[in-house]
């Protein structure tokens, strides 16, 4: 984290299906800990999901399921503001205002646009191209001091800062606070596939054996770890010796993130042993972490009325926090007579 004081934290996640271990260790558990440090806002980015066609009923179900998963993982809606992005109209309204500040060249250079549009830029949605401007609006609305991101999202924070800086200069105001990225945070920020240690764990991988889902049973978790790709060499005592062993490094990193131990301490315990000894211990640690989350998630998912109540309450709180920034932006642009 930067040296700037943490006064408010904001982060969002797309409600696009089942969460997996990479989501949990790479983002959600960081969010849970951040609740202890500063006021936090967490939103379900359903407006961002419009860049792809998803049936309405599916999108609605995914928003509720993601809310259930976040709460089950430790996000406390009594302490933090949890809401659906589309329930706060200020997100879309500020995005349109910022479209007058953002530049085509800035957006066309975004890595996400290049990767997702590929060679079919003419066929890609405008929402995909404009995604970073909505993301800037998401952030700037709440004037957060820090935004938790992975290394692959740092470019979006830099763009947000560029848009905020240009808006402030163009209007001669200090409407927006420039946010700082919060990268890292003491847990595994990058969990890799169980089948390929060079690829990030992802729900889009066609093989379900490549990931541990938060809804997997204890038996499924144990089977996936047992069948995870490894190499024939024993574990060393020094983490540096895992540099050229991506699958081994990944499993040791997961164990460290799950247990809170250092990789050095874990390797000291398993030095000279093969994965026949290590994998059962890792499976047990994962089951101990995920089983209570899965049980709470299942309970919450059945109670859609309670989930809706939580999201409605969060949206009301978020709208109240967003209102001053939206008003200041309108006034800076001559869109408010008050």
């Amino acid at each position: 984290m930067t040296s700037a004081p943490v006064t408010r934290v904001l982060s969002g996640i797309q409600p696009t299906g089942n969460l997996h271990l990479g989501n949990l260790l790479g983002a959600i558990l960081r969010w849970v800990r951040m609740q202890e440090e500063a006021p936090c806002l967490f939103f379900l980015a359903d407006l961002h999901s419009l860049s792809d066609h998803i049936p309405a009923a599916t999108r609605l179900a995914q928003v509720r399921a993601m809310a259930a998963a976040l709460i089950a993982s430790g996000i406390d809606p009594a302490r933090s503001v949890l809401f659906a992005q589309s329930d706060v109209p200020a997100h879309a309204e500020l995005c349109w205002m910022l479209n007058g500040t953002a530049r085509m060249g800035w957006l066309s250079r975004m890595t996400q646009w290049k990767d997702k549009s590929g060679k079919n830029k003419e066929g890609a949605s405008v929402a995909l191209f404009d995604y970073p401007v909505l993301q800037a609006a998401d952030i700037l609305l709440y004037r957060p001091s820090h935004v938790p991101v992975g290394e692959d999202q740092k470019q979006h924070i830099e763009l947000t800062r560029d848009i905020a800086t240009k808006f402030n200069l163009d209007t001669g105001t200090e409407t927006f606070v420039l946010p700082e990225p919060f990268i890292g945070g003491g847990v595994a920020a990058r969990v890799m596939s169980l089948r390929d240690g060079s690829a990030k764990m992802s729900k889009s991988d066609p093989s379900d054996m490549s990931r541990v889902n938060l809804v997997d049973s204890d038996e499924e978790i144990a089977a996936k770890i047992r069948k995870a790709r490894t190499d024939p060499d024993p574990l060393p005592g020094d983490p540096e010796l895992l540099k050229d062993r991506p699958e081994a490094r990944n499993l040791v990193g997961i164990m460290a993130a799950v247990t809170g131990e250092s990789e050095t301490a874990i390797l000291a315990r398993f030095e000279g042993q093969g994965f026949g000894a290590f994998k059962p211990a890792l499976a047990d640690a994962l089951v101990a972490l995920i089983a209570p989350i899965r049980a709470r998630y299942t309970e919450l998912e059945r109670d859609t009325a309670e989930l809706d109540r939580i999201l409605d309450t969060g949206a009301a709180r978020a709208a109240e926090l967003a209102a001053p920034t939206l008003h200041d932006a309108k006034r800076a642009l001559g869109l408010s007579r008050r």
Side-chain angles (χ1 to χ4, degrees), residues 3 21 40 45 57 117 135 176 207 231 246 268 273 299 333 337:
S3 57
L21 184 66
C40 294
S117 63
Q135 193 168 58
F176 297 124
S207 173
D231 57 52
Q273 301 181 61
E299 176 187 346
L333 294 170
R337 292 181 298 278

Side-chain angles (χ1 to χ4, degrees), residues 7-324:
T7 57
R8 180 180 290 171
V9 174
L10 173 90
S11 198
I13 187 169
Q14 275 212 44
T16 53
N18 289 340
L19 290 174
H20 54 70
L21 184 66
N23 304 131
L24 184 68
L25 299 182
I28 297 169
L29 292 185
R30 294 166 64 201
W31 295 0
V32 171
R33 282 196 297 276
M34 286 175 198
Q35 295 178 128
E36 307 290 337
E37 300 180 25
C40 294
L41 296 97
F42 304 118
F43 67 92
L44 311 175
D46 51 352
L47 291 178
H48 283 293
S49 73
L50 296 174
S51 59
D52 292 316
H53 174 70
I54 300 173
T58 301
R59 179 176 284 110
L60 180 59
Q62 288 178 343
V63 166
R64 286 177 173 141
M66 185 64 75
L70 293 180
I71 296 168
S73 300
I75 298 299
D76 182 357
R79 173 180 291 179
S80 299
V81 182
L82 176 64
F83 63 101
Q85 182 187 31
S86 62
D87 285 337
V88 183
H91 286 255
E93 194 171 354
L94 183 59
C95 174
W96 187 252
M97 295 182 209
L98 296 181
N99 277 334
T101 300
R103 292 295 180 256
M104 296 283 286
W106 297 355
L107 301 184
S108 64
R109 289 191 290 272
M110 296 300 288
T111 301
Q112 178 172 283
W113 164 249
K114 293 177 182 178
D115 290 347
K116 291 195 173 182
S117 63
K119 296 180 179 179
N120 187 33
K121 288 182 171 55
E122 295 294 322
S125 70
V126 174
L128 181 62
F129 184 72
D130 204 40
Y131 188 108
V133 183
L134 177 57
Q135 193 168 58
D138 298 334
I139 295 168
L140 296 175
L141 261 180
Y142 300 100
R143 293 172 170 157
S145 60
H146 291 79
V147 182
V149 293
E151 282 288 352
D152 57 346
Q153 285 287 309
K154 189 176 179 182
Q155 186 185 33
H156 286 270
I157 304 300
E158 292 169 350
L159 178 68
T160 297
R161 291 171 62 89
D162 288 343
I163 291 173
T165 298
K166 180 170 171 53
F167 185 100
N168 288 348
L169 288 173
D170 287 350
T171 59
T173 67
E174 295 182 0
T175 301
F176 297 124
V177 174
L178 273 59
E180 295 284 350
F182 175 16
I183 299 172
V187 298
R190 193 171 177 83
V191 178
M192 312 307 284
S193 165
L194 298 179
R195 308 304 295 167
D196 179 359
S198 65
K200 197 171 179 180
M201 186 176 286
S202 170
K203 63 179 178 294
S204 63
D205 192 308
S207 173
D208 191 58
M209 296 300 291
S210 69
R211 58 189 169 270
V212 173
N213 304 302
L214 299 193
V215 294
D216 284 346
S217 67
D218 295 353
E219 293 75 18
E220 288 172 325
I221 294 170
K224 288 179 177 182
I225 296 302
R226 186 171 61 251
K227 296 178 181 178
R229 183 176 177 183
T230 51
D231 57 52
D233 297 331
L235 286 166
D238 183 355
E240 289 295 313
L241 298 178
L242 293 177
K243 278 187 175 180
D244 297 322
R245 300 172 62 184
E247 285 78 24
R249 185 176 66 241
N250 184 41
L251 294 187
V252 171
I254 290 172
M255 176 72 98
V258 169
T259 64
E261 295 178 274
S262 68
E263 293 185 3
T264 300
I266 290 167
L267 290 176
R269 196 161 72 249
F270 289 95
E271 183 177 5
Q273 301 181 61
F275 287 94
F278 181 82
K279 284 183 174 181
L282 175 57
D284 288 346
L286 283 171
V287 167
L289 173 68
I290 292 175
I293 294 175
R294 181 182 65 235
R296 177 66 173 141
Y297 169 79
T298 302
E299 176 187 346
L300 285 164
E301 194 180 29
R302 296 193 191 104
D303 194 348
T304 57
E306 175 62 7
L307 289 173
D308 289 348
R309 185 197 66 77
I310 289 170
L311 291 175
D312 289 346
T313 300
R317 293 167 66 193
E320 184 177 355
L321 291 170

